[in-house]
Structure formats: C-alpha cells, structure tokens
Amino acid sequence: MNKQINYKIIIKIIAASIVVSLIYNYFSSNNLSLIRNKTKLIAASDSLISAQSLSPSDTGFVMITTTQAYKLFNIRKDIFIDARDQWDFADGHIPGAINIPEYDFEADNKTTASLDKQKRYIVYCHGIDCDVALRLAKELRKINFTNLLIFSGGWNSWIKAGHEIEKGQTK
Amino acid sequence: MMKFVSNKYLVLVFRIFIASVFIFSGIEKITSPEKFADAILNYKLFPIFSINLIAIIIPWLELFVGVLLLFGIWIKENSMISFILLILFTVLVATAMIRGLDISCGCFGTKFAQKVGLLKIGENLILIVFSYLVFQFECKINKNEN
C-alpha cells in the first residue's frame, strides 16, 4: 500500500479506541472483567448427582460422565437439553432431549419459558471440544435455572457408548 | 475496468458501505460484550486471559474506523486499518473452517449470528476489495482536487 501513510494517525486511532473502550467498559452495566478466568468444572460424585438438588459455586458447573448421564437417563427424572443447532439435533439426539440452540439463544424464547425451573437439566453439545453446552448453561443460570449439570462427553460419547438415540425435531 | 472502479462516486459508495458495516458491527458487539467474548473463545486461538480485552477493544476500534470513514476523516489510514482488520477476521474464519469448528463467527454480535463458512469468507473478501479500492482511489481523488 501507499508509502505516504501516516502511521502516527493509525496509532492515535488505535490508542483512542483502547482508551474509550476501557472507560466505557468501566462504567457499563454489562461490563467484562479485563482478565477472563476459566470457568470451573467440578466432577460430580454419584452421591452428588443422586441428591437431586445442587448448590454449585457461582462460577462453577457440575460435570457428569457418560456413565452417570446414562444412569440419569434411565431414571428419567432429569431433562436433557441439547445445545447444538436444530440441524444437528434433527440428525440425532438423546431420546427425550429438548433442543435449545445456543447460537441464537434468547432468554425469553418459548421453549425456555415453558420449562420448570425447579427441575434438574443436563446440558450437552457435541463433546469435550465444544463449549456451547457450558455457554448455554451460563445463560440458563442467568435466568434462574440453578439445577444444571454439564454432560461433558456429549453427543459423541453417547453414540460411542452405543446408547439409544432419537431423530427429528423436538415434539 | 480500473477507470470504472476508480470512479469517485463509486469509491464514495464503497466507503459508506464499509463504514456502515463497521459501525453496525461495532455497536452490536459493544451492546453485548459477553456474547462477543464467548464467540472469540470459540475460535480456541487466543489465551483465555486475553479474550475479554479483545472483546472490549475490537468493537470500539471498528466503531471509530466506521465513523471516521463515514465522515471522510483520515480515509487513507482508516481504510488501511479496515483492510488489516478484515484480513485478520478472514484468516480467523478460514482457520476455524480448516479445523472443522462448527461455530458462530461472532462477526455482527450474536443477534445476527452467522456460522463460519465460505459465505462469510466471500463477504469478507468483498469488503477487503472495497477497503483496498477506497485506500487507493480516495487518495488520488483528494490529490486531484488539491
């Protein structure tokens, strides 16, 4: 590109953006902490998941294994929430799961409004590499869903274990 | 062809278009910084501690560049910043695609979620070309006017 470019101006624009963004963030109601902390995941003991009611810390989430998820699936008390998009969900999901795609989640959507906040929900996505289950759980916690478990192995570990599946959209 | 793309009215349209995209994108992210931070996190490319800082600063840089381009202030410098930003965004989307990540690109916040993919890369390439043309020809127009 052109040699006559004034790099001092570029530095000024970047510096102004940094200063204004930090000031705005400081006074904003939905501000972020400058340094992000990793969300804590707590491995669930069998006694913890059979207790039905969880009291996790504000920042952490309780994580369950495939075996624990299958155990809870057979008890059929808790409800699975699939955080993947509707197309992946239609291709296959845990039987009885509800689809709440994380990518277009809105706190006041119909599905979320129809759910009983007293019940326990198990949120999952593709597998250990995906963050959408955790992110959806964070969103749900904001709207007072406090009894949440994260099935970290997710869909991939579920089919790998050969457990039953269901296809199609949410009924 | 060069005569056509260097037409001053066409270059003005390109500049206003890039400015509008940057302003819109910046405001969307400024209003929901947490969602934008999550979108950056999804790319799994940046250290966790830096995610929030990127999510705080980048939208304001986009807004500044957009507003300055819209009002025709420091066009050369701002079109260069937009050019570099767009190249960085395109590289991010391309690497996410190559790694098989099935994620929202976070380009316009999450209200207008778009998945990473060829369509997004195509859109970015058009904006990159527009930025380049604004950089090249706005300067010449200014010189001719002087």
Side-chain angles (χ1 to χ4, degrees), chain B residues 77-109:
Chain B
E77 287 75 13
N78 281 299
S79 54
M80 189 180 188
I81 299 176
S82 69
F83 181 82
I84 294 169
L85 280 177
L86 286 163
I87 287 181
L88 288 176
F89 296 157
T90 311
V91 170
L92 283 182
V93 172
T95 53
M97 267 184 76
I98 292 165
R99 288 178 294 147
L101 296 179
D102 185 23
I103 56 173
S104 161
C105 75
C107 314
F108 295 104

Side-chain angles (χ1 to χ4, degrees), chain A residues 1-7 9-10 12-14 16-18 20-22 24-25 28 30-38 85 87-88 102-106 126 129-132 135 138-139 142, chain B residues 30-35 37-39 41-42 44 48-53 55-57 60-62 64-65 68 74 76-81 83 102 104 110-111 113 115 131-132 135-136 139 143:
Chain A
M1 279 192 167
N2 203 318
K3 281 179 186 173
Q4 291 170 345
I5 200 146
N6 189 340
Y7 290 100
I9 290 176
I10 292 183
K12 275 182 195 168
I13 295 167
I14 295 171
S17 308
I18 293 172
V20 174
S21 65
L22 294 177
Y24 176 84
N25 184 63
S28 168
N30 54 353
N31 62 351
L32 296 175
S33 61
L34 294 183
I35 306 295
R36 191 185 183 99
N37 295 314
K38 217 172 180 178
D85 62 38
W87 302 283
D88 286 334
E102 188 278 335
Y103 78 93
D104 64 351
F105 176 80
E106 281 187 19
H126 289 285
D129 283 343
C130 71
D131 298 321
V132 286
R135 294 217 316 269
K138 280 187 201 168
E139 293 296 330
K142 279 185 204 162
Chain B
I30 289 167
T31 50
S32 48
E34 200 171 324
K35 289 196 169 181
D38 286 339
L41 186 68
N42 269 350
K44 298 181 178 38
I48 300 238
F49 73 86
S50 68
I51 300 280
N52 284 6
L53 269 177
I56 292 167
I57 295 166
W60 278 95
L61 182 59
E62 285 181 283
F64 266 65
V65 169
L68 292 171
W74 297 326
K76 200 162 48 164
E77 287 75 13
N78 281 299
S79 54
M80 189 180 188
I81 299 176
F83 181 82
D102 185 23
S104 161
T110 45
K111 215 182 267 179
K115 281 197 161 189
S131 291
Y132 180 76
F135 177 85
Q136 278 294 37
C139 309
K143 269 182 202 164

Side-chain angles (χ1 to χ4, degrees), chain A residues 4-136:
Chain A
Q4 291 170 345
I5 200 146
N6 189 340
Y7 290 100
K8 276 185 187 169
I9 290 176
I10 292 183
I11 292 168
K12 275 182 195 168
I13 295 167
I14 295 171
S17 308
I18 293 172
V19 172
V20 174
S21 65
L22 294 177
I23 294 171
Y24 176 84
N25 184 63
Y26 183 78
F27 291 106
S28 168
S29 57
N30 54 353
N31 62 351
L32 296 175
S33 61
L34 294 183
I35 306 295
R36 191 185 183 99
N37 295 314
K38 217 172 180 178
T39 306
K40 277 185 231 157
L41 283 174
I42 308 147
S45 64
D46 284 352
S47 60
L48 181 68
I49 58 167
S50 59
Q52 265 301 309
S53 181
L54 303 166
S55 52
S57 67
D58 285 343
T59 52
F61 279 99
V62 176
M63 188 174 66
I64 58 169
T65 62
T66 312
T67 316
Q68 288 169 326
Y70 192 58
K71 209 168 158 185
L72 292 172
F73 168 76
N74 284 323
I75 297 169
R76 292 183 191 273
K77 237 179 177 178
D78 303 330
I79 297 164
F80 283 85
I81 294 179
D82 192 317
R84 299 173 302 158
D85 62 38
Q86 54 271 49
W87 302 283
D88 286 334
F89 182 82
D91 285 345
H93 54 262
I94 296 174
I98 299 164
N99 185 212
I100 306 180
E102 188 278 335
Y103 78 93
D104 64 351
F105 176 80
E106 281 187 19
D108 54 353
N109 78 18
K110 267 189 199 170
T111 318
T112 324
S114 66
L115 297 176
D116 178 1
K117 290 181 180 173
Q118 303 307 314
K119 284 193 173 178
R120 187 164 65 185
Y121 296 92
I122 303 164
V123 191
Y124 73 93
C125 51
H126 289 285
I128 46 171
D129 283 343
C130 71
D131 298 321
V132 286
L134 189 59
R135 294 217 316 269
L136 181 67

Side-chain angles (χ1 to χ4, degrees), chain A residues 154-171:
Chain A
W155 176 243
N156 293 342
S157 70
W158 184 268
I159 47 170
K160 204 174 169 188
H163 299 321
E164 47 269 61
I165 66 159
E166 188 177 70
K167 291 189 177 193
Q169 300 291 342
T170 307
K171 284 160 198 157

